[in-house]
Every structure is written in C-alpha cells, then in structure tokens.
Amino acid sequence: MSIRLGLIGVEDNLEWIQSVVKEYSEFECIPFLHFYEKDVISILEAHSHKVDMWLFSGIFPYSVAEKWGRVQKPMFYVPYTGTSLYKTLYRILYHHHLDINQLSFDALKTSELKQIFEELDIDDSSSHLYEEPKSIEDVVEYHEQLWKKGETSAAVTCAWQVQKELEKRGVPVFRVKHTKSAVTSVLNEALKTQEMLRFKDRQIAVQIFEMDLFSSMSISSFSSDEMYDMEIKNTQKLLKYAKRIQGSLKTVSPGCYVIFTTRGELSDITDNFSVIPNLDEIQDITKGNITCGIGIGPSAYDAEMMARNALLQARKHGKENWMVAFDNKTFKGPLGKKESLTYSYNDKDMQVISERTSLSVATISKIDSILSKMGRSEITCQDLATKLQILPRSARRIMSQLEKSGYAEEIGEETPHPRGRPRKVYRVLLRGTVR
C-alpha cells in the first residue's frame, strides 16, 4: 500500500518537489498550494484524513503547523542545506561582487552558516542571521530594518513569500532554493519513520473492560437467570467488537473482560487515543457504567499489566472513563474529555521534584501537562482542583508543597465574581528548575 504524502508548498517549488517524490514508488503524492501562513492550517484541517504524513516545502509552513499543535500525522520539511547556500553565495560573490558581511540570512542554522564561511575562508564576525523565524512578517521586518539602517546591502532568504515581499519594498534579495539531495534525504527519513510506525502499530495492545450495569438498581430485583442472560448479551456484543478490531476476547470474571489486539487497531478507532470509539458493536455497552483501561507493551504480559495500571487511573476519574498506558511510561486520558492529559510517571525531572516535595510523580507530571496545555505557568488552586478533579483543599495542599520547595510562588490575586473571594494566583515552574 502506498504512503499518502501530503505535500504543502509554494508555487515556485511545489511542482519541482513533486517531481522528485514521483521517483519513489512508495509514495502517493497529494500536492497542496499555499500562499499565506493561514492557508497552511486550512489545508491541514480540511485534508488531514486523506494523508498518512505531511511534507512541507520549507521551515516556515512547517513552523506554522507545529505551532498550531493539532497535527497528529508525522511531519517533515525540506531543509536548506549547505549545498543550496553554496550555489546562492557563488552568485552573490562572483556575479554581484557583494561583501558577505553585508548580507542578512534567515531560516539557516548558525553552525551550518559558520561551517560554510570557514570552508570559504571568510570572516563571518559581522554576519546577520535570523535562525528561528516566528513568522513571515517578522523575517521581512528583520531584513528590511537591517537594510534601511545601512548594516546590510542585501538579504538572503529561504522563503518565497519573504523574497516577494522584500522585492515589493525595494530591498535587494536573493533566494536559496532546495537541492534534489535535500529532498531525497527527507523522503528517505520519511520512509524510515513509516517503517517504525508500522512496527509500532504491530505492538500488542490489551483492553480491559470493567462493567457495573447494576449500580443504579438492586441486584435482588434480578433473578440469577436474568443476570446470566445479561452477561451473555454483553459477551456477545464484546465478541463482535473484538472481531471488529481483529482481537480476541477473554472473560476474567463477571463484568470484567480482556481483549487482546494491536496498537494500530485501537489507534484507528480511538483517533490516535483521543476519543472513546463510537462503534455499533459496543454502543449499547458504552452507555452503561463501563470503565476501560488500555495498555500497550512489547509482550502480552507487559501490555496487560499496563492495561491494569490504566484501569486504576481511569477509576480515579470515575466510572465510564477510558485511560491509556503506553510502554514509554506515560498515561493519556480520560479519552474524549476536556480534562484529558498526557503525563509520565517515569520522567527523571519529575522524580527529582517528587523527592523534594513528597508529591507523587504522577501528580507532578499531571500539573506539568496541565500548564503545557494551558500555554502558561500561572494557575489558581481552584483551577488546579477542577482540572485534576480533586477537592480545592487538596489542590491548596499540593500548591503549598510546591511553594515550600521553591517550585511555585504567589504572584497576585484574581476576583472571578464581583462579590467573590479573591483567589491567589501562583506561578508554577517545573521544567528547567531541576539541578
């Protein structure tokens, strides 16, 4: 089966990169033309289901997708290698006779640029480089300001949009273009990644279902025959579900079932472990009080142990929740919920903080995940309690432990309601604090 490769590029390189991709029989190339940064997100949103992985023509559209943070398929971009720059520099130095120190560069690595200058025996002490561009506008502004101040006589860019905009503003500009070797190199990397993913998809996955269909009624209102009949019906539904995901079903005890399958099958039906599957085979069952733990591991035994750990975590969130435990010692869930988190219980930094605060690694990792998801380091105890689904006093105890150990500090107060009591706002710093 061909790998569906979504290629996002600009008009002056899309067709050329596509011609190189066509040399690989493993790929089915699906090209998408973009002009502005906002186009990239629109393409990703509309066509993600059509591709297996994404290839961007350069770092700019790739950075937009990375910053957006919602792409679940593998992403690659064609880098601008030393060979690409050599060709451009040759034209600048020998045809236009410009001073190398009067140039500004973007989207290249400092180490790469330095190495090229050394090989050409050129002093790079005055070179200007925007190494990690945030946006096209920022890069254009960077080049234009240097030129206006007289610090540079021309710009060297890797982006077609930057070239066009600088030309409009009258700034002399040269464009670094891709080489075929750069494209083939990234395509080979994509093939290796696909092979790794196939191996990953073949990993053993175990799903443990724990049902409590009698919680809202008295068991005494059922005869033993009726209870047995209900058990048989649930088993039949789960057998259909197991067949749907190419797995095998084992009954552990009344109301407890284990299904052995593969990671790839479960990843497909849960949208990469983000939602509870909406399948006809288990639709009636998932409406009941069912808790589920999914485990991924290199062996059936390891996967089952991970599934039991996931089930324990799911129980902490209450019935009808699904959690996943991966073989890299991380949990994810509850699936399909706004408070869903991905957190590790084997992170070395979090283990150090755990030892210093007496808080569990899981708790600290959850807080780290919450802050990452929020995109800021400030939080109140009330918000922490809501997101961790714990009592406010428990959240205050956790924050107190972090504050005493130097991982949190009170920075102010907020009043959510006109007549409400002010809430303390804390800044929590976990990453980069461990020494």
Side-chain angles (χ1 to χ4, degrees):
M1 183 181 292
S2 298
I3 303 168
R4 299 172 301 171
L5 183 68
L7 172 61
I8 298 180
V10 291
E11 71 178 42
D12 76 331
N13 63 19
L14 183 68
E15 188 175 341
W16 180 77
I17 295 177
Q18 188 180 359
S19 69
V20 179
V21 177
K22 285 181 178 178
E23 295 178 11
Y24 286 73
S25 59
E26 297 92 339
F27 293 110
E28 175 195 345
C29 188
I30 308 173
F32 299 98
L33 180 67
H34 84 91
F35 294 96
Y36 305 103
E37 292 181 1
K38 62 181 180 180
D39 297 337
V40 174
I41 295 176
S42 298
I43 292 168
L44 294 170
E45 282 185 314
H47 303 284
S48 182
H49 64 286
K50 298 177 183 177
V51 307
D52 300 310
M53 51 178 58
W54 291 101
L55 175 62
F56 299 87
S57 63
I59 191 172
F60 288 97
Y62 175 86
S63 299
V64 172
E66 191 175 43
K67 186 177 180 181
W68 185 48
R70 291 171 58 185
V71 181
Q72 297 182 343
K73 307 289 177 65
M75 298 192 303
F76 306 89
Y77 70 89
V78 182
Y80 293 91
T81 61
T83 308
S84 309
L85 186 57
Y86 272 126
K87 193 174 180 180
T88 306
L89 286 177
Y90 177 82
R91 189 154 52 96
I92 293 170
L93 295 173
Y94 296 99
H95 288 270
H96 296 273
H97 307 290
L98 296 177
D99 184 349
I100 196 78
N101 290 313
Q102 287 290 303
L103 301 175
S104 54
F105 300 84
D106 63 54
L108 297 163
K109 297 293 183 184
T110 301
S111 56
E112 239 180 14
L113 199 59
K114 189 176 182 65
Q115 182 180 344
I116 291 172
F117 286 164
E118 286 177 354
E119 291 173 354
L120 293 174
D121 197 23
I122 295 172
D123 178 20
D124 66 329
S125 58
S126 303
S127 62
H128 306 275
L129 172 63
Y130 199 147
E131 187 170 359
E132 295 183 0
K134 295 178 181 178
S135 67
I136 295 294
E137 291 77 10
D138 285 342
V139 178
V140 171
E141 185 72 14
Y142 170 77
H143 288 299
E144 185 182 27
Q145 289 304 313
L146 287 172
W147 179 72
K148 283 183 175 180
K149 291 176 184 177
E151 295 182 32
T152 60
S153 54
V156 181
T157 183
C158 296
W160 175 76
Q161 298 97 323
V162 174
Q163 178 189 14
K164 293 301 178 184
E165 187 59 35
L166 287 175
E167 287 174 346
K168 285 181 184 178
R169 301 184 186 190
V171 180
V173 57
F174 297 90
R175 171 83 186 283
V176 180
K177 294 189 176 182
H178 296 300
T179 60
K180 184 174 181 178
S181 61
V183 179
T184 57
S185 177
V186 76
L187 289 175
N188 289 332
E189 183 184 347
L191 287 175
K192 290 178 183 177
T193 300
Q194 184 65 14
E195 184 59 34
M196 181 196 72
L197 290 174
R198 283 174 181 161
F199 172 77
K200 205 172 184 181
D201 282 345
R202 291 194 291 267
Q203 279 186 298
I204 296 172
V206 172
Q207 193 170 11
I208 301 179
F209 288 105
E210 190 175 70
M211 299 182 186
D212 184 9
L213 302 179
F214 306 104
S215 61
S216 60
M217 58 194 77
S218 172
I219 294 180
S220 60
S221 63
F222 288 88
S223 69
S224 58
D225 287 342
E226 288 173 321
M227 292 176 64
Y228 180 72
D229 183 55
M230 188 174 291
E231 190 78 17
I232 291 295
K233 287 179 180 178
N234 287 334
T235 302
Q236 289 174 338
K237 291 174 183 176
L238 285 174
L239 277 170
K240 290 181 181 179
Y241 169 68
K243 185 177 181 181
R244 167 70 173 76
I245 59 173
Q246 300 185 41
S248 60
L249 175 69
K250 182 173 76 174
T251 302
V252 178
S253 61
C256 184
Y257 307 88
V258 177
I259 292 177
F260 293 84
T261 182
T262 62
R263 178 179 185 148
E265 290 293 334
L266 287 183
S267 179
D268 287 343
I269 66 169
T270 60
D271 192 15
N272 195 26
F273 301 105
S274 60
V275 297
I276 294 176
N278 183 22
L279 300 175
D280 293 337
E281 291 89 343
I282 58 169
Q283 198 168 43
D284 292 338
I285 296 176
T286 52
K287 290 178 181 178
N289 291 315
I290 181 170
T291 309
C292 177
I294 297 173
I296 310 295
S299 68
Y301 175 81
D302 291 325
E304 187 173 352
M305 291 302 101
M306 300 300 286
R308 293 192 184 282
N309 287 332
L311 184 62
L312 289 173
Q313 292 297 315
R315 286 174 184 164
K316 292 180 181 179
H317 291 274
K319 295 175 181 177
E320 301 183 36
N321 283 298
W322 290 37
M323 293 286 295
V324 187
F326 298 99
D327 57 339
N328 63 350
K329 309 298 183 184
T330 60
F331 286 112
K332 185 175 183 178
L335 304 190
K337 301 291 180 69
K338 288 183 179 179
E339 64 271 18
S340 178
L341 298 171
T342 300
Y343 55 94
S344 171
Y345 56 93
N346 196 41
D347 187 300
K348 291 182 178 179
D349 287 350
M350 301 300 105
Q351 287 175 347
V352 173
I353 297 174
S354 173
E355 293 171 2
R356 295 175 181 175
T357 60
S358 299
L359 298 171
S360 71
V361 175
T363 296
I364 297 167
S365 295
K366 286 179 184 178
I367 295 171
D368 183 51
S369 182
I370 288 168
L371 296 173
S372 177
K373 194 172 182 180
M374 292 170 62
R376 63 176 189 269
S377 58
E378 296 77 27
I379 194 170
T380 66
C381 290
Q382 286 75 10
D383 287 339
L384 185 62
T386 300
K387 294 182 182 300
L388 286 177
Q389 294 187 302
I390 59 177
L391 295 173
R393 65 170 178 267
S394 298
R396 286 193 291 270
R397 180 185 62 79
I398 290 171
M399 197 62 71
S400 176
Q401 289 289 93
L402 291 173
E403 189 176 22
K404 287 178 183 177
S405 304
Y407 295 105
E409 61 175 339
E410 184 182 337
I411 60 170
E413 292 183 340
E414 67 175 23
T415 306
H417 306 290
R419 297 182 181 180
R421 180 180 297 178
R423 296 175 176 178
K424 294 180 179 179
V425 179
Y426 293 87
R427 178 179 290 119
V428 181
L429 299 173
L430 300 176
R431 295 289 174 183
T433 59
V434 177
R435 293 179 177 83

